[in-house]
Amino acid sequence: MTGHDVTLEWPDGRTERVAVGPRETVLEVAGREGIRLPYDCRKGTCTACVGRLRAIDEDGSEPDAAADHGDRATDPIDAAAAFDYRRAPTALTDREQREGYVLLCIALVHADCRVEVGPRVRSEVGGSPWS
């Protein structure tokens, strides 16, 4: 397989789709395509680049965004359902990962998915344990 499509969603309704290769991170591809995402360490030790997994496309069709928009009370999707890591994401707790939070600087994609990004997502997670 050549990679996966990741749709990035901002709180203002903007979306961008990036095709992420098997050895690339969302942050790397977004930067290459001129899509600005926040980041700092690029090593998984801060939470500047955090996103939240909102939907997974398991059958190859367009992810169903309707199930995830508007209602923030939807059940979280474990980030492991769509992402692996280059190294341990030390800035996220196990609970945060189970709730769908993912560090886009070190996460490798293994499923087409939708990820919420922006300051609201960042405010939902704790600070870096290293800062």
Side-chain angles (χ1 to χ4, degrees):
M1 176 167 270
T2 60
H4 294 283
D5 289 334
V6 177
T7 302
L8 302 168
E9 302 176 340
W10 281 263
D12 64 3
R14 175 180 157 215
T15 63
E16 296 276 354
R17 181 175 289 186
V18 293
V20 182
R23 291 194 166 111
E24 299 178 300
T25 68
V26 173
L27 184 63
E28 290 167 345
V29 174
R32 186 172 62 236
E33 294 187 14
I35 301 167
R36 294 180 58 135
L37 292 175
Y39 68 90
D40 190 10
C41 72
R42 290 187 181 246
K43 296 179 183 176
T45 60
C46 79
T47 56
C49 69
V50 71
R52 187 168 191 192
L53 181 61
R54 302 308 292 167
I56 298 173
D57 175 19
E58 297 181 21
D59 64 1
S61 63
E62 173 68 21
D64 181 12
D68 292 304
H69 285 284
D71 182 9
R72 303 241 344 126
T74 58
D75 290 335
I77 304 169
D78 190 330
F83 294 94
D84 293 317
Y85 283 104
R86 286 182 172 166
R87 64 185 61 81
T90 56
L92 292 177
T93 66
D94 290 342
R95 179 191 57 79
E96 288 167 337
Q97 291 176 68
R98 286 190 307 273
E99 291 177 356
Y101 295 100
V102 58
L103 298 177
L104 301 175
C105 70
I106 60 170
L108 302 173
V109 183
H110 61 79
D112 292 353
C113 59
R114 298 181 75 86
V115 176
E116 182 181 8
V117 295
R120 180 173 57 194
V121 177
R122 171 62 184 88
S123 72
E124 293 172 351
V125 297
S128 169
W130 310 110
S131 58

